[in-house]
Amino acid sequence: ISVSVAKEDERVGETQVGLFGNQYESSFRQSFKDSLEEAITKSAIFNDLSNKKLSLTAKVMQFETPGFSVGFDTSFVVRYQLLDRSTGKLVFTRDIRSNGTVPFDYAFLGAIRYTEARNRAVRTNIEQFVASLGEFKE
C-alpha cells in the first residue's frame, strides 16, 4: 500500500494534508496507510494464499476543510488503484468522495471539531472503498 498526494494539475480541490497544507506531511500519510491496512485486513476481502499479488495506491485528490466554520464540512477525495504486480496491469480504479461534518455541540473548541470532521471524512472514505472492493472481480 502506498499513499501520495496528487500534484497540483491532478487535484480536484485543495489538498490540505499537513499543517498549513504541507503536502509532504508524513504523519498523515502513515496514519492513512495504517488505517487502510487495518480496514482491508478486517474485511478479509483478499485471500493471502492467492497466486495473484496486488499493490494498492491511494492518491489524495482533495482534502479540504474551511479554516473557520461551525461544522467544518470537510471534503475528501481519494483515487484508489489496484495493480497486478505480476503483469503491471491496472485492474481497479475508483475515485471515492466523502464528507465529514460535526455538530456545533460536539465540542466547544473549533480545533477539536476541525480534527473530528477530518477524521470522519477519512473514515467514511475508507469504508466506502472497502465496500467498493466487493464489486472487484479479477
Side-chain angles (χ1 to χ4, degrees), residues 39-47 129-136:
I40 289 169
T41 299
K42 284 183 177 179
S43 74
I45 197 152
F46 294 111
N47 179 350
F129 167 64
V130 170
S132 77
L133 288 175
E135 304 165 18
F136 173 66

Side-chain angles (χ1 to χ4, degrees), residues 4 15 26 32-34 43 45 56 85-86 98 101 135:
S4 65
T15 53
S26 63
F32 186 42
K33 180 180 182 220
D34 292 347
S43 74
I45 197 152
L56 169 64
R85 293 196 312 231
S86 64
S98 61
T101 304
E135 304 165 18

